[in-house]
Amino acid sequence: MKTSAGLLLFRHTDHGLEVLLGHMGGPFFARRDAGAWTVPKGEYEPDSESPWDAARREFQEELGLPPPDGEAVTLGEVRQTNGKVVTAWAIEADLDPATVVPALFSMEWPPKSGQTREFPELDRVEWCGLDRARAVIVKAQAAFLDRLAEHSA
């Protein structure tokens, strides 16, 4: 079973609660919106790293910025349709999406071409109100939004 951990930043604005989501990079998600946004997160090996340490490390790797300090709100776990178990925490913080320097990954593209190309792990990062976030986030991760909304009520 694959495991992943991440940090969901949130802030309170005049328009209500907003969360920072990342759009998954690469050619498979380039033209997708719904289901193509995620909590900044990444995989880890439970035998060698705690979920909390992994969430902080992955935030740094995915966004190229240090994870913010602050009180971490436990959002628990969800199981995505691919079977991956994702653990997340929320931290109230502000971040300018223009400062993000995403990590890159390599893959053969186009398929069977023999050519390797690099793509950003997250090709853009945006603050989203909860309604927009629910419409675009990976389906299972919507539970994190609900748990955050309960905590912030």
Side-chain angles (χ1 to χ4, degrees):
M1 171 178 59
K2 290 187 177 185
T3 54
S4 190
L7 297 179
L8 178 64
L9 298 192
F10 69 97
R11 66 185 185 183
H12 296 276
T13 72
D14 293 341
H15 305 290
L17 188 63
E18 293 183 340
V19 294
L20 187 76
L21 298 180
H23 184 269
M24 292 182 272
F28 299 118
F29 298 100
R31 292 188 175 95
R32 289 184 52 196
D33 200 39
W37 292 79
T38 183
V39 171
K41 62 171 182 48
E43 291 184 11
Y44 70 99
E45 294 296 327
D47 295 342
S48 61
E49 188 176 26
S50 74
W52 172 248
D53 288 340
R56 293 181 57 78
R57 175 184 53 77
E58 286 291 338
F59 186 93
Q60 173 89 41
E61 289 178 13
E62 295 277 317
L63 302 182
L65 301 169
D69 294 324
E71 179 185 344
V73 176
T74 301
L75 298 178
E77 295 180 347
V78 298
R79 182 180 301 273
Q80 297 183 162
T81 55
N82 62 3
K84 182 185 291 184
V85 174
V86 180
T87 305
W89 289 265
I91 296 178
E92 186 169 6
D94 205 353
L95 180 150
D96 180 355
T99 63
V100 169
V101 181
L104 301 175
F105 71 95
S106 298
M107 68 179 287
E108 182 180 10
W109 192 259
K112 300 179 184 175
S113 67
Q115 298 175 2
T116 302
R117 292 189 45 201
E118 285 191 330
F119 299 95
E121 294 271 353
L122 299 173
D123 60 19
R124 60 192 183 274
V125 176
E126 292 180 13
W127 286 102
C128 302
L130 290 183
D131 288 342
R132 168 147 169 77
R134 280 189 187 95
V136 298
I137 199 166
V138 171
K139 191 174 185 178
Q141 292 180 29
F144 294 144
L145 304 176
D146 296 339
R147 294 170 192 166
L148 176 61
E150 288 175 18
H151 175 270
S152 298

